[in-house]
Amino acid sequence: APSPAAPVLPAAPLVRRAPLRPRRRGFPWMSVFFSLFCLASIAVMGGILYFVNKNGGATIVISTTPGVPAGSVLQGGSVVAQPAPPADRVRPPFDPVMGGLAGDMPPPQVPEEIEDFDSEPMSQMPAAEMPPANQSPAPEMPSPEMPSPTPEQIAAGTSAIAAVTRAIKNHDWPQIKTLAELAESKATDDEQKATSAMLFQLADLATFYQGGVVKAIGQLQAGNEFDLTADLKVVIVEAAPEKLIIRFNGRNKEYTFDTLPLMLAHKLAPLSMSVDAPTSQAAKYSFQAIAAVTTPPYRDEAIAQLQKITEPIEGADVATLVKAIQYVYGL
């Protein structure tokens, strides 16, 4: 049987499409930016790793926490401030010979103090007050000369020296030291000053020992006894400043100070003073050289004993004392 005939569809209307235009491609800006960003990120990470390795594993802290500065380094859990960049290279000091060829720093100012490792700071003269190198220092002004002594002053010095010399020879104990001091004050020229000085040393030491003997006599009491020598014992009968009565060999003997034997004086002196010191020994023999009862042999012995003293003497010296004795007695 014949197949049924297919239905006839109405024909679709013909639609004409506009022709497609080829699309123009723009410059790939996004790709470029992305590539640059990746490269910058890699460079930053490389720099961070280099910094971390250089600082012994320290970590850079990038924190927005107040009080923690940016760029701080984290070490052992603590925040350590990043060290400041190194200062500029120090230029060499100004060389006064080479000038600007040695460096471009200006000449240093003269400091007020200069310190080194071995000495204390030394004060320096300000640059404005330092004399030029080619200028010689100003000559020192001569000290004003003392006016020459007048004839009257020279005569007064000579008279004072003669007075103390007489007092020593006359055993005027109350006046010896006073006149010696007066002679020193009246001395004018070098010769008078040297003579008065040596007479004062002799008078000072002799009166010192004489005072010790007088003091010892004042401490004696009747009935005291002591050995004057190994085979001579003496007993004090009466002791007074103006006289001393002693008993020996069954007889009494009275002495004034000017007639007191040197042996007895030297025995009494240790009762009131130490006689072992060099100054006391010098005083002892100065007294012996000018005592009223002394004789030339005793005076010579005193000079010999003085010359044996080698230790320092307070306020005097052996050579001057010997010269004074020789001056007074014309030796």
Side-chain angles (χ1 to χ4, degrees), residues 132-144:
N134 58 353
Q135 180 180 347
S136 58
E140 296 183 359
M141 297 298 295
S143 57

Side-chain angles (χ1 to χ4, degrees), residues 26 34-35 40 55-56 59 61 68 72 75 84-85 107 118 193 218 226 265 290 298-299 303 306 319:
F34 182 77
S35 299
N55 289 275
T59 304
V61 177
V68 179
S72 300
Q75 291 183 345
D118 300 322
K193 290 178 181 179
F226 55 88
I290 67 173
Y298 277 108
R299 189 174 295 116
I303 292 175
L306 283 171

Side-chain angles (χ1 to χ4, degrees), residues 264-306:
L264 185 56
H266 293 334
K267 194 69 176 182
L268 295 175
L271 300 178
S272 64
M273 59 186 295
S274 173
V275 295
D276 295 329
T279 302
S280 298
Q281 287 293 303
K284 173 182 178 179
Y285 293 109
S286 295
F287 170 81
Q288 177 173 319
I290 67 173
V293 295
T294 197
T295 59
Y298 277 108
R299 189 174 295 116
D300 293 341
E301 181 190 4
I303 292 175
Q305 293 296 329
L306 283 171

Side-chain angles (χ1 to χ4, degrees), residues 223-276:
N224 292 150
E225 61 180 32
F226 55 88
D227 294 329
L228 188 60
T229 63
D231 54 356
L232 180 61
K233 183 183 295 292
V234 298
V235 179
I236 303 300
V237 177
E238 182 180 350
E242 68 280 359
K243 65 179 180 180
L244 176 65
I245 302 175
I246 62 174
R247 183 178 181 84
F248 64 97
N249 291 335
R251 296 182 302 171
N252 290 350
K253 184 68 175 180
E254 181 177 338
Y255 298 103
T256 63
F257 187 84
D258 285 341
T259 60
L260 192 68
L262 288 174
M263 182 181 294
L264 185 56
H266 293 334
K267 194 69 176 182
L268 295 175
L271 300 178
S272 64
M273 59 186 295
S274 173
V275 295
D276 295 329

Side-chain angles (χ1 to χ4, degrees), residues 3-329:
S3 58
V8 178
L9 297 175
L14 183 58
V15 180
R16 179 173 288 184
R17 293 181 180 180
L20 296 175
R21 297 178 181 177
R23 187 175 181 181
R24 182 177 297 177
R25 292 180 179 274
F27 188 83
W29 294 103
M30 295 299 296
S31 299
V32 173
F33 287 152
F34 182 77
S35 299
L36 292 176
F37 177 77
C38 291
L39 291 175
S41 299
I42 293 172
V44 170
M45 293 298 295
I48 292 174
L49 292 176
Y50 174 78
F51 183 83
V52 170
N53 292 332
K54 185 177 180 181
N55 289 275
T59 304
I60 302 297
V61 177
I62 303 176
S63 174
T64 58
T65 304
V68 179
S72 300
V73 180
L74 182 64
Q75 291 183 345
S78 302
V79 176
V80 182
Q82 183 179 5
D88 294 338
R89 180 177 63 87
V90 178
R91 296 187 180 91
F94 181 80
D95 190 335
V97 176
M98 299 297 293
L101 297 178
D104 54 357
M105 294 183 65
Q109 298 294 326
V110 178
E112 293 182 359
E113 291 185 349
I114 297 178
E115 290 190 9
D116 55 28
F117 295 103
D118 300 322
S119 62
E120 296 295 327
M122 298 183 298
S123 300
Q124 300 294 317
M125 182 185 297
E129 298 180 6
M130 295 184 66
N134 58 353
Q135 180 180 347
S136 58
E140 296 183 359
M141 297 298 295
S143 57
E145 296 182 358
M146 297 296 294
S148 300
T150 64
E152 291 78 9
Q153 292 174 330
I154 296 175
T158 302
S159 177
I161 291 174
V164 66
T165 303
R166 285 193 304 270
I168 293 174
K169 294 182 71 173
N170 295 332
H171 325 295
D172 188 1
W173 296 107
Q175 297 296 321
I176 288 177
K177 190 172 180 180
T178 301
L179 292 175
E181 293 173 346
L182 180 62
E184 279 197 314
S185 66
K186 295 291 185 180
T188 54
D189 55 23
D190 293 340
E191 182 179 358
Q192 288 187 351
K193 290 178 181 179
T195 302
S196 61
M198 71 179 183
L199 292 175
F200 176 81
Q201 290 187 20
L202 178 62
D204 185 36
L205 287 176
T207 54
F208 170 70
Y209 191 83
Q210 181 261 352
V213 176
V214 172
K215 182 178 180 181
I217 293 175
Q219 296 175 351
L220 296 176
Q221 296 181 358
N224 292 150
E225 61 180 32
F226 55 88
D227 294 329
L228 188 60
T229 63
D231 54 356
L232 180 61
K233 183 183 295 292
V234 298
V235 179
I236 303 300
V237 177
E238 182 180 350
E242 68 280 359
K243 65 179 180 180
L244 176 65
I245 302 175
I246 62 174
R247 183 178 181 84
F248 64 97
N249 291 335
R251 296 182 302 171
N252 290 350
K253 184 68 175 180
E254 181 177 338
Y255 298 103
T256 63
F257 187 84
D258 285 341
T259 60
L260 192 68
L262 288 174
M263 182 181 294
L264 185 56
H266 293 334
K267 194 69 176 182
L268 295 175
L271 300 178
S272 64
M273 59 186 295
S274 173
V275 295
D276 295 329
T279 302
S280 298
Q281 287 293 303
K284 173 182 178 179
Y285 293 109
S286 295
F287 170 81
Q288 177 173 319
I290 67 173
V293 295
T294 197
T295 59
Y298 277 108
R299 189 174 295 116
D300 293 341
E301 181 190 4
I303 292 175
Q305 293 296 329
L306 283 171
Q307 292 173 335
K308 292 180 180 179
I309 300 175
T310 57
E311 297 181 22
I313 302 171
E314 185 178 354
D317 65 88
V318 169
T320 301
L321 291 172
V322 171
K323 187 181 297 186
I325 297 170
Q326 294 171 342
Y327 175 84
V328 172
Y329 295 98

